[in-house]
Amino acid sequence: MIDETKLWNSLKKGDRTALQDLYNHFVDMLYSYGMTLCQDEDKVKDGIHDLFLSIWNSKDRLSIPQSTKAYLIVSLRHRLFDKGSKMATLTDHIESTSDLPHLSEGHEERWIRNEDESEQQRKLDQAMSRLSDRQREIIHMKYLQELDYDEIARIMDLNYQSARNLVNRAITALRKEMLLTVMIILMSL
């Protein structure tokens, strides 16, 4: 675990290593989040690099954020939208446990498990694609980035209760879409 306050203080004093440490710690999370907003990989990478360049260039004027993660997400979000990005579907960012080893599991069991997980992922991707951009984004923030409601509210410029309500509505919509997807599959058999 990194000491974010210490890194920000070092950064403000001109320590390039502190900037590098912040970048290394958060770049994967920012990339994953950025790809949920914009399917243009180059635009996301450019946005992340622009963000850290901007932090370095304005290090003298920076205040230490309450939550580095929320600050970086909000900053990247603004950069991507300022560049005309369109919201995109959430795909291939749902973490699975398929890479974890299973003891005494034979080749056939692994193959069946992988097939089942692939089918579940496909159903989830289909259901997610039918959600609104805002619903996909908030599900990503809450369950993949593991942000709390206060951080989500700050990022999306909502009050706390509105963030909770939006998460609940998104989950309800996702459940409904998953059920619809399963029913369609069963009817086609």
Side-chain angles (χ1 to χ4, degrees), residues 59-137:
K59 63 186 174 292
D60 302 335
R61 300 180 305 275
L62 287 176
S63 58
I64 298 172
Q66 272 186 326
S67 166
T68 300
K69 187 180 208 179
Y71 170 79
L72 293 173
I73 286 173
V74 168
S75 299
L76 180 61
R77 187 174 196 251
H78 288 303
R79 287 185 187 303
L80 293 176
F81 286 138
D82 288 345
K83 295 184 179 204
S85 173
K86 300 247 188 233
M87 298 286 280
T89 60
L90 174 65
T91 57
D92 301 326
H93 297 293
I94 306 295
E95 296 175 355
S96 74
T97 59
S98 63
D99 296 331
L100 296 177
H102 292 273
L103 297 176
S104 70
E105 182 177 53
H107 175 72
E108 291 166 357
E109 288 86 10
R110 276 193 309 273
W111 181 78
I112 291 169
R113 182 178 44 81
N114 288 339
E115 286 294 313
D116 288 344
E117 288 175 359
S118 294
E119 180 64 18
Q120 289 173 356
Q121 184 65 47
R122 188 182 65 73
K123 289 175 189 173
L124 179 60
D125 289 343
Q126 285 178 344
M128 289 290 289
S129 72
R130 290 191 293 270
L131 296 180
S132 73
D133 295 338
R134 197 163 164 93
Q135 288 172 327
R136 279 191 302 274
E137 180 182 13

Coordinates of all heavy atoms in Angstrom, one line a residue, residues 59-137:
K59 N 2.2 21.1 -10.4 CA 2.5 20.6 -9.1 C 2.6 21.7 -8.0 O 2.2 21.4 -6.9 CB 3.8 19.8 -9.1 CG 5.0 20.6 -9.5 CD 6.2 19.6 -9.6 CE 7.4 20.3 -10.1 NZ 7.3 20.8 -11.5
D60 N 3.0 22.9 -8.4 CA 3.1 24.0 -7.4 C 1.8 24.4 -6.9 O 1.7 24.9 -5.7 CB 3.9 25.2 -8.0 CG 5.2 24.8 -8.6 OD1 5.8 23.8 -8.1 OD2 5.7 25.5 -9.5
R61 N 0.8 24.3 -7.7 CA -0.6 24.8 -7.3 C -1.5 23.7 -6.8 O -2.6 24.0 -6.5 CB -1.2 25.5 -8.5 CG -0.4 26.6 -9.1 CD -1.1 27.3 -10.3 NE -1.4 26.4 -11.4 CZ -0.5 26.1 -12.3 NH1 0.7 26.5 -12.3 NH2 -0.9 25.2 -13.3
L62 N -1.1 22.5 -6.8 CA -1.9 21.4 -6.4 C -2.2 21.3 -4.9 O -1.3 21.7 -4.1 CB -1.3 20.0 -6.8 CG -1.2 19.6 -8.2 CD1 -0.4 18.3 -8.4 CD2 -2.6 19.5 -8.8
S63 N -3.4 20.9 -4.6 CA -3.7 20.6 -3.2 C -3.8 19.1 -3.1 O -4.0 18.4 -4.1 CB -5.1 21.3 -2.8 OG -6.1 20.8 -3.6
I64 N -3.6 18.6 -2.0 CA -3.7 17.1 -1.8 C -5.1 16.7 -1.7 O -5.9 17.1 -0.9 CB -2.9 16.7 -0.5 CG1 -1.4 17.1 -0.6 CG2 -3.0 15.2 -0.3 CD1 -0.6 17.0 0.6
P65 N -5.5 15.8 -2.7 CA -6.9 15.4 -2.7 C -7.3 14.4 -1.6 O -6.4 13.7 -1.0 CB -7.0 14.6 -4.1 CG -5.6 14.2 -4.4 CD -4.7 15.2 -3.7
Q66 N -8.6 14.4 -1.2 CA -9.1 13.5 -0.2 C -8.9 12.1 -0.6 O -8.5 11.2 0.2 CB -10.5 13.8 0.1 CG -10.9 14.8 1.1 CD -12.4 14.9 1.3 OE1 -13.2 14.6 0.5 NE2 -12.7 15.2 2.6
S67 N -9.2 11.8 -1.9 CA -9.1 10.5 -2.4 C -8.4 10.6 -3.8 O -8.9 11.2 -4.7 CB -10.5 9.9 -2.7 OG -10.4 8.7 -3.5
T68 N -7.2 10.1 -3.8 CA -6.4 10.2 -5.1 C -7.1 9.4 -6.2 O -7.2 9.9 -7.3 CB -5.0 9.6 -4.9 OG1 -4.3 10.3 -3.8 CG2 -4.2 9.6 -6.1
K69 N -7.7 8.3 -5.9 CA -8.4 7.5 -6.9 C -9.5 8.3 -7.5 O -9.7 8.4 -8.7 CB -8.9 6.2 -6.2 CG -9.5 5.2 -7.2 CD -10.0 4.0 -6.3 CE -10.0 2.8 -7.1 NZ -10.4 1.6 -6.3
A70 N -10.4 8.9 -6.6 CA -11.5 9.7 -7.1 C -11.0 10.9 -7.9 O -11.6 11.2 -9.0 CB -12.4 10.1 -6.0
Y71 N -10.0 11.6 -7.5 CA -9.4 12.7 -8.2 C -9.0 12.3 -9.6 O -9.3 13.0 -10.5 CB -8.3 13.3 -7.3 CG -7.5 14.4 -8.1 CD1 -8.0 15.7 -8.2 CD2 -6.3 14.1 -8.7 CE1 -7.3 16.6 -8.9 CE2 -5.6 15.0 -9.4 CZ -6.1 16.3 -9.4 OH -5.4 17.3 -10.1
L72 N -8.2 11.2 -9.7 CA -7.7 10.8 -11.0 C -8.8 10.4 -11.9 O -8.8 10.7 -13.1 CB -6.7 9.7 -10.8 CG -5.4 10.1 -10.1 CD1 -4.5 8.9 -9.8 CD2 -4.6 11.2 -10.9
I73 N -9.8 9.7 -11.4 CA -11.0 9.3 -12.2 C -11.7 10.5 -12.7 O -12.1 10.5 -13.9 CB -11.9 8.3 -11.4 CG1 -11.2 6.9 -11.3 CG2 -13.2 8.2 -12.1 CD1 -12.0 6.0 -10.4
V74 N -12.0 11.4 -11.9 CA -12.7 12.6 -12.3 C -11.9 13.4 -13.4 O -12.4 13.8 -14.4 CB -13.0 13.6 -11.1 CG1 -13.5 14.9 -11.6 CG2 -14.1 13.0 -10.2
S75 N -10.6 13.5 -13.1 CA -9.8 14.2 -14.1 C -9.7 13.5 -15.4 O -9.8 14.1 -16.5 CB -8.3 14.3 -13.5 OG -8.4 15.1 -12.3
L76 N -9.6 12.2 -15.4 CA -9.6 11.4 -16.7 C -10.9 11.5 -17.4 O -11.0 11.7 -18.6 CB -9.2 10.0 -16.4 CG -9.1 9.1 -17.7 CD1 -8.1 9.6 -18.7 CD2 -8.9 7.6 -17.3
R77 N -12.0 11.4 -16.6 CA -13.3 11.5 -17.2 C -13.5 12.8 -17.9 O -14.0 12.9 -19.1 CB -14.3 11.4 -16.1 CG -15.8 11.3 -16.5 CD -16.6 11.0 -15.3 NE -17.9 10.6 -15.7 CZ -19.0 11.3 -15.6 NH1 -19.0 12.5 -15.0 NH2 -20.2 10.8 -15.9
H78 N -13.1 13.9 -17.3 CA -13.2 15.3 -17.9 C -12.3 15.3 -19.2 O -12.8 15.9 -20.2 CB -12.7 16.4 -17.0 CG -13.7 16.6 -15.9 ND1 -15.0 16.9 -16.1 CD2 -13.6 16.6 -14.5 CE1 -15.7 17.1 -15.0 NE2 -14.8 16.9 -14.0
R79 N -11.1 14.8 -19.2 CA -10.3 14.8 -20.3 C -10.9 14.0 -21.5 O -10.8 14.5 -22.6 CB -8.9 14.2 -20.0 CG -8.1 15.1 -19.1 CD -6.7 14.6 -18.9 NE -5.9 15.4 -18.0 CZ -5.7 16.7 -18.1 NH1 -6.1 17.3 -19.1 NH2 -5.0 17.3 -17.1
L80 N -11.4 12.9 -21.2 CA -12.0 12.1 -22.3 C -13.2 12.7 -22.9 O -13.4 12.7 -24.1 CB -12.3 10.7 -21.8 CG -11.1 9.8 -21.4 CD1 -11.6 8.5 -20.9 CD2 -10.2 9.6 -22.6
F81 N -14.1 13.3 -22.0 CA -15.3 14.0 -22.6 C -14.9 15.3 -23.3 O -15.6 15.7 -24.2 CB -16.3 14.2 -21.4 CG -17.0 13.0 -21.0 CD1 -17.2 12.7 -19.7 CD2 -17.4 12.1 -22.0 CE1 -17.9 11.6 -19.3 CE2 -18.1 10.9 -21.6 CZ -18.3 10.7 -20.3
D82 N -13.9 16.0 -22.8 CA -13.5 17.2 -23.4 C -12.9 17.0 -24.8 O -13.0 17.8 -25.7 CB -12.4 17.9 -22.6 CG -12.9 18.6 -21.4 OD1 -14.1 18.7 -21.2 OD2 -12.1 18.9 -20.5
K83 N -12.5 15.7 -25.1 CA -11.9 15.4 -26.4 C -13.0 14.8 -27.3 O -12.7 14.2 -28.3 CB -10.7 14.4 -26.2 CG -9.6 15.1 -25.5 CD -8.4 14.2 -25.5 CE -7.3 15.0 -24.8 NZ -6.0 14.5 -25.1
G84 N -14.3 14.9 -26.9 CA -15.3 14.4 -27.7 C -15.6 12.9 -27.7 O -16.2 12.3 -28.6
S85 N -15.1 12.3 -26.7 CA -15.3 10.8 -26.6 C -16.8 10.4 -26.4 O -17.5 11.2 -25.8 CB -14.5 10.3 -25.4 OG -14.8 8.9 -25.2
K86 N -17.2 9.3 -26.9 CA -18.5 8.8 -26.7 C -18.4 7.6 -25.6 O -17.4 6.9 -25.6 CB -19.1 8.2 -28.0 CG -19.1 9.2 -29.0 CD -20.6 9.5 -29.4 CE -20.6 10.4 -30.6 NZ -21.4 11.5 -30.4
M87 N -19.5 7.5 -24.8 CA -19.5 6.4 -23.9 C -19.6 5.1 -24.7 O -20.1 5.0 -25.8 CB -20.8 6.5 -23.0 CG -20.8 7.8 -22.2 SD -19.6 7.7 -20.8 CE -20.6 6.7 -19.7
A88 N -19.0 4.0 -24.1 CA -19.0 2.8 -24.8 C -19.4 1.6 -23.9 O -19.6 1.8 -22.7 CB -17.5 2.5 -25.3
T89 N -19.5 0.5 -24.5 CA -20.0 -0.7 -23.7 C -18.9 -1.2 -22.8 O -17.7 -1.1 -23.2 CB -20.5 -1.8 -24.6 OG1 -19.4 -2.2 -25.4 CG2 -21.7 -1.4 -25.4
L90 N -19.2 -1.8 -21.8 CA -18.3 -2.5 -20.9 C -18.1 -3.9 -21.3 O -19.0 -4.7 -21.3 CB -18.8 -2.4 -19.4 CG -18.0 -3.2 -18.4 CD1 -16.7 -2.5 -18.2 CD2 -18.8 -3.2 -17.1
T91 N -16.9 -4.2 -21.8 CA -16.6 -5.5 -22.3 C -15.2 -5.9 -21.8 O -14.3 -5.1 -21.8 CB -16.7 -5.7 -23.8 OG1 -15.8 -4.8 -24.4 CG2 -18.1 -5.4 -24.3
D92 N -15.0 -7.2 -21.5 CA -13.8 -7.7 -21.2 C -13.1 -7.1 -20.0 O -11.9 -7.2 -19.8 CB -12.8 -7.7 -22.4 CG -13.3 -8.4 -23.6 OD1 -14.0 -9.4 -23.3 OD2 -13.0 -8.0 -24.7
H93 N -13.9 -6.4 -19.1 CA -13.3 -5.8 -17.9 C -13.9 -6.4 -16.7 O -13.5 -6.0 -15.6 CB -13.5 -4.3 -17.9 CG -12.9 -3.6 -19.1 ND1 -11.5 -3.5 -19.2 CD2 -13.4 -3.0 -20.2 CE1 -11.2 -2.8 -20.3 NE2 -12.3 -2.5 -20.9
I94 N -14.8 -7.3 -16.8 CA -15.3 -8.0 -15.7 C -14.3 -9.1 -15.3 O -14.0 -9.9 -16.0 CB -16.7 -8.7 -16.0 CG1 -17.7 -7.7 -16.6 CG2 -17.2 -9.4 -14.8 CD1 -18.1 -6.7 -15.7
E95 N -13.8 -8.9 -14.1 CA -12.7 -9.8 -13.6 C -13.4 -11.2 -13.3 O -14.4 -11.3 -12.7 CB -12.0 -9.3 -12.4 CG -11.3 -8.0 -12.7 CD -10.8 -7.4 -11.4 OE1 -11.0 -7.9 -10.3 OE2 -10.1 -6.3 -11.5
S96 N -12.7 -12.2 -13.7 CA -13.2 -13.6 -13.4 C -12.1 -14.3 -12.7 O -11.0 -13.9 -12.6 CB -13.6 -14.3 -14.7 OG -12.4 -14.7 -15.4
T97 N -12.5 -15.4 -12.1 CA -11.6 -16.2 -11.4 C -11.1 -17.4 -12.2 O -10.6 -18.4 -11.7 CB -12.3 -16.8 -10.1 OG1 -13.4 -17.5 -10.5 CG2 -12.6 -15.7 -9.1
S98 N -11.3 -17.3 -13.5 CA -11.0 -18.4 -14.4 C -9.5 -18.7 -14.4 O -9.1 -19.8 -14.8 CB -11.5 -18.2 -15.8 OG -10.9 -17.1 -16.4
D99 N -8.7 -17.8 -14.0 CA -7.2 -18.0 -14.1 C -6.7 -18.6 -12.8 O -5.5 -18.9 -12.7 CB -6.5 -16.7 -14.3 CG -6.8 -16.1 -15.7 OD1 -7.1 -17.0 -16.6 OD2 -6.8 -14.9 -15.9
L100 N -7.5 -18.8 -11.8 CA -7.1 -19.3 -10.5 C -7.0 -20.9 -10.6 O -7.8 -21.5 -11.2 CB -8.1 -19.0 -9.4 CG -8.2 -17.5 -9.1 CD1 -9.3 -17.4 -8.0 CD2 -6.9 -16.9 -8.6
P101 N -5.9 -21.4 -10.1 CA -5.7 -22.9 -10.2 C -6.7 -23.6 -9.3 O -7.1 -23.1 -8.3 CB -4.3 -23.1 -9.7 CG -4.0 -21.9 -8.9 CD -4.8 -20.8 -9.4
H102 N -7.2 -24.7 -9.8 CA -8.1 -25.6 -9.0 C -7.4 -26.9 -8.8 O -6.9 -27.5 -9.7 CB -9.4 -25.8 -9.8 CG -10.2 -24.5 -9.9 ND1 -11.1 -24.1 -8.9 CD2 -10.3 -23.6 -10.9 CE1 -11.7 -23.0 -9.3 NE2 -11.2 -22.7 -10.5
L103 N -7.4 -27.3 -7.5 CA -6.7 -28.5 -7.1 C -7.4 -29.7 -7.7 O -8.6 -29.8 -7.7 CB -6.6 -28.6 -5.6 CG -5.8 -27.5 -4.9 CD1 -5.8 -27.6 -3.4 CD2 -4.3 -27.5 -5.4
S104 N -6.6 -30.7 -8.1 CA -7.1 -32.0 -8.6 C -8.2 -31.8 -9.6 O -9.1 -32.7 -9.7 CB -7.5 -32.8 -7.4 OG -8.7 -32.3 -6.9
E105 N -8.1 -30.8 -10.4 CA -9.1 -30.7 -11.5 C -8.5 -31.2 -12.8 O -7.4 -30.8 -13.2 CB -9.5 -29.2 -11.6 CG -10.5 -28.9 -12.6 CD -10.9 -27.5 -12.6 OE1 -10.0 -26.6 -12.8 OE2 -12.1 -27.2 -12.5
G106 N -9.2 -32.1 -13.4 CA -8.7 -32.6 -14.7 C -8.9 -31.6 -15.9 O -9.6 -30.6 -15.7
H107 N -8.4 -32.0 -17.0 CA -8.5 -31.2 -18.2 C -9.9 -31.0 -18.6 O -10.3 -29.9 -19.0 CB -7.7 -31.9 -19.3 CG -7.8 -31.2 -20.6 ND1 -7.2 -30.0 -20.9 CD2 -8.5 -31.5 -21.7 CE1 -7.5 -29.6 -22.1 NE2 -8.3 -30.5 -22.7
E108 N -10.7 -32.1 -18.6 CA -12.1 -32.0 -19.0 C -12.9 -31.0 -18.0 O -13.7 -30.2 -18.5 CB -12.8 -33.3 -19.0 CG -12.2 -34.2 -20.1 CD -12.5 -35.7 -20.0 OE1 -13.2 -36.0 -19.0 OE2 -12.2 -36.4 -20.9
E109 N -12.7 -31.1 -16.7 CA -13.4 -30.3 -15.8 C -13.0 -28.8 -16.0 O -13.9 -27.9 -16.0 CB -13.1 -30.7 -14.3 CG -13.7 -32.0 -13.9 CD -12.8 -33.2 -14.3 OE1 -11.7 -33.0 -14.7 OE2 -13.4 -34.3 -14.1
R110 N -11.7 -28.6 -16.3 CA -11.3 -27.2 -16.5 C -12.0 -26.7 -17.8 O -12.4 -25.5 -17.9 CB -9.8 -27.1 -16.7 CG -9.1 -27.0 -15.4 CD -7.6 -26.6 -15.6 NE -6.9 -27.4 -16.5 CZ -6.2 -28.5 -16.2 NH1 -6.3 -29.0 -15.0 NH2 -5.6 -29.2 -17.2
W111 N -12.0 -27.5 -18.8 CA -12.6 -27.1 -20.1 C -14.1 -26.8 -19.9 O -14.6 -25.7 -20.4 CB -12.4 -28.2 -21.1 CG -13.0 -27.8 -22.5 CD1 -12.4 -27.0 -23.4 CD2 -14.3 -28.3 -23.0 NE1 -13.3 -26.9 -24.5 CE2 -14.4 -27.7 -24.3 CE3 -15.3 -29.1 -22.6 CZ2 -15.5 -27.9 -25.1 CZ3 -16.4 -29.3 -23.4 CH2 -16.5 -28.7 -24.6
I112 N -14.8 -27.6 -19.2 CA -16.3 -27.4 -18.9 C -16.4 -26.1 -18.1 O -17.3 -25.3 -18.4 CB -16.9 -28.6 -18.2 CG1 -16.9 -29.8 -19.2 CG2 -18.3 -28.3 -17.7 CD1 -17.3 -31.1 -18.5
R113 N -15.6 -25.9 -17.1 CA -15.7 -24.7 -16.3 C -15.4 -23.5 -17.1 O -16.2 -22.5 -17.0 CB -14.7 -24.8 -15.1 CG -14.8 -23.6 -14.2 CD -13.9 -23.7 -13.0 NE -12.5 -24.1 -13.3 CZ -11.6 -23.4 -13.8 NH1 -11.8 -22.1 -14.1 NH2 -10.4 -23.9 -14.0
N114 N -14.4 -23.5 -17.9 CA -14.1 -22.4 -18.8 C -15.2 -22.1 -19.8 O -15.5 -20.9 -20.0 CB -12.8 -22.6 -19.5 CG -11.6 -22.5 -18.6 OD1 -11.7 -21.9 -17.6 ND2 -10.5 -23.1 -19.0
E115 N -15.8 -23.1 -20.3 CA -17.0 -23.0 -21.2 C -18.1 -22.3 -20.5 O -18.8 -21.4 -21.0 CB -17.4 -24.3 -21.8 CG -16.5 -24.8 -22.9 CD -16.4 -23.9 -24.1 OE1 -17.5 -23.5 -24.6 OE2 -15.3 -23.6 -24.6
D116 N -18.4 -22.8 -19.3 CA -19.5 -22.2 -18.5 C -19.2 -20.7 -18.2 O -20.1 -19.9 -18.3 CB -19.7 -23.0 -17.2 CG -20.3 -24.3 -17.4 OD1 -20.9 -24.6 -18.5 OD2 -20.2 -25.1 -16.4
E117 N -18.0 -20.4 -17.8 CA -17.6 -19.0 -17.5 C -17.7 -18.2 -18.7 O -18.1 -17.0 -18.7 CB -16.3 -19.0 -16.8 CG -16.2 -19.5 -15.4 CD -14.9 -19.6 -14.8 OE1 -13.9 -19.2 -15.5 OE2 -14.8 -20.0 -13.7
S118 N -17.3 -18.7 -19.9 CA -17.4 -17.9 -21.1 C -18.8 -17.6 -21.5 O -19.2 -16.5 -21.9 CB -16.8 -18.7 -22.3 OG -15.4 -18.9 -22.1
E119 N -19.7 -18.6 -21.3 CA -21.1 -18.4 -21.5 C -21.7 -17.4 -20.6 O -22.5 -16.5 -21.0 CB -21.9 -19.7 -21.4 CG -23.4 -19.6 -21.7 CD -23.7 -19.2 -23.1 OE1 -22.9 -19.3 -24.0 OE2 -24.9 -18.8 -23.3
Q120 N -21.4 -17.5 -19.3 CA -21.8 -16.5 -18.3 C -21.3 -15.1 -18.7 O -22.1 -14.1 -18.6 CB -21.4 -16.8 -16.9 CG -22.1 -18.0 -16.4 CD -21.5 -18.5 -15.0 OE1 -20.5 -17.9 -14.6 NE2 -22.1 -19.5 -14.4
Q121 N -20.1 -15.0 -19.1 CA -19.5 -13.7 -19.5 C -20.2 -13.1 -20.7 O -20.5 -11.9 -20.8 CB -18.0 -13.8 -19.8 CG -17.3 -12.5 -20.1 CD -17.3 -11.5 -18.9 OE1 -17.0 -11.9 -17.8 NE2 -17.7 -10.3 -19.2
R122 N -20.5 -14.0 -21.7 CA -21.2 -13.6 -22.9 C -22.6 -13.0 -22.5 O -23.0 -12.0 -23.0 CB -21.4 -14.7 -23.9 CG -21.9 -14.3 -25.2 CD -22.1 -15.5 -26.2 NE -23.0 -16.5 -25.7 CZ -24.4 -16.3 -25.8 NH1 -24.9 -15.2 -26.2 NH2 -25.2 -17.2 -25.3
K123 N -23.3 -13.7 -21.6 CA -24.6 -13.3 -21.2 C -24.6 -11.9 -20.5 O -25.4 -11.0 -20.7 CB -25.3 -14.3 -20.3 CG -25.7 -15.6 -21.0 CD -26.2 -16.6 -20.0 CE -26.5 -17.9 -20.6 NZ -26.8 -19.0 -19.6
L124 N -23.5 -11.8 -19.6 CA -23.4 -10.6 -18.9 C -23.0 -9.4 -19.9 O -23.6 -8.3 -19.7 CB -22.2 -10.7 -17.8 CG -21.9 -9.4 -17.0 CD1 -23.1 -9.0 -16.3 CD2 -20.8 -9.7 -16.1
D125 N -22.2 -9.7 -20.8 CA -21.8 -8.6 -21.8 C -23.1 -8.2 -22.6 O -23.3 -7.0 -22.9 CB -20.8 -9.2 -22.8 CG -19.4 -9.3 -22.1 OD1 -19.2 -8.7 -21.1 OD2 -18.5 -10.0 -22.7
Q126 N -23.9 -9.2 -23.0 CA -25.2 -8.9 -23.7 C -26.1 -8.0 -22.9 O -26.6 -7.0 -23.3 CB -25.9 -10.1 -24.1 CG -25.3 -10.9 -25.3 CD -26.1 -12.1 -25.6 OE1 -26.9 -12.6 -24.8 NE2 -25.9 -12.7 -26.8
A127 N -26.2 -8.4 -21.6 CA -27.1 -7.6 -20.7 C -26.5 -6.2 -20.5 O -27.2 -5.2 -20.5 CB -27.3 -8.4 -19.4
M128 N -25.2 -6.1 -20.2 CA -24.6 -4.8 -20.0 C -24.7 -3.9 -21.2 O -24.9 -2.7 -21.1 CB -23.1 -5.0 -19.7 CG -22.8 -5.6 -18.3 SD -23.2 -4.5 -16.9 CE -21.9 -3.3 -17.1
S129 N -24.7 -4.5 -22.4 CA -24.8 -3.7 -23.6 C -26.1 -3.0 -23.8 O -26.3 -2.0 -24.5 CB -24.4 -4.5 -24.9 OG -25.5 -5.4 -25.2
R130 N -27.1 -3.6 -23.1 CA -28.5 -3.0 -23.2 C -28.8 -2.0 -22.1 O -29.8 -1.4 -22.1 CB -29.5 -4.1 -23.2 CG -29.5 -5.0 -24.5 CD -30.7 -5.9 -24.6 NE -30.7 -7.0 -23.6 CZ -30.1 -8.1 -23.8 NH1 -29.5 -8.4 -24.9 NH2 -30.2 -9.1 -22.8
L131 N -27.8 -1.8 -21.2 CA -28.0 -0.8 -20.2 C -27.6 0.6 -20.8 O -26.9 0.7 -21.8 CB -27.1 -1.0 -19.0 CG -27.3 -2.3 -18.2 CD1 -26.3 -2.4 -17.0 CD2 -28.8 -2.3 -17.7
S132 N -28.0 1.6 -20.1 CA -27.6 3.0 -20.6 C -26.2 3.2 -20.3 O -25.6 2.5 -19.4 CB -28.5 4.1 -19.8 OG -28.1 4.2 -18.5
D133 N -25.6 4.2 -20.9 CA -24.2 4.5 -20.7 C -23.9 4.8 -19.2 O -22.9 4.4 -18.6 CB -23.7 5.7 -21.5 CG -23.8 5.4 -23.0 OD1 -23.7 4.2 -23.4 OD2 -23.9 6.4 -23.8
R134 N -24.8 5.6 -18.6 CA -24.7 6.0 -17.2 C -24.7 4.8 -16.3 O -24.0 4.7 -15.3 CB -25.7 7.0 -16.9 CG -25.5 7.9 -15.7 CD -26.5 9.1 -15.8 NE -26.6 9.7 -14.6 CZ -25.9 10.8 -14.2 NH1 -25.0 11.2 -15.0 NH2 -26.1 11.3 -13.0
Q135 N -25.6 3.9 -16.6 CA -25.8 2.7 -15.8 C -24.5 1.8 -15.9 O -24.0 1.3 -14.9 CB -27.0 1.9 -16.2 CG -28.3 2.5 -15.8 CD -29.5 1.8 -16.4 OE1 -29.5 1.2 -17.5 NE2 -30.6 1.8 -15.7
R136 N -24.0 1.6 -17.1 CA -22.7 0.9 -17.2 C -21.6 1.5 -16.5 O -20.8 0.9 -15.8 CB -22.3 0.7 -18.7 CG -23.1 -0.3 -19.4 CD -22.5 -0.6 -20.8 NE -22.4 0.6 -21.7 CZ -23.4 1.0 -22.4 NH1 -24.5 0.3 -22.5 NH2 -23.3 2.1 -23.2
E137 N -21.5 2.8 -16.6 CA -20.4 3.5 -15.9 C -20.5 3.4 -14.4 O -19.5 3.1 -13.7 CB -20.5 5.0 -16.3 CG -19.4 5.8 -15.6 CD -19.5 7.3 -15.9 OE1 -20.5 7.8 -16.5 OE2 -18.5 8.0 -15.6

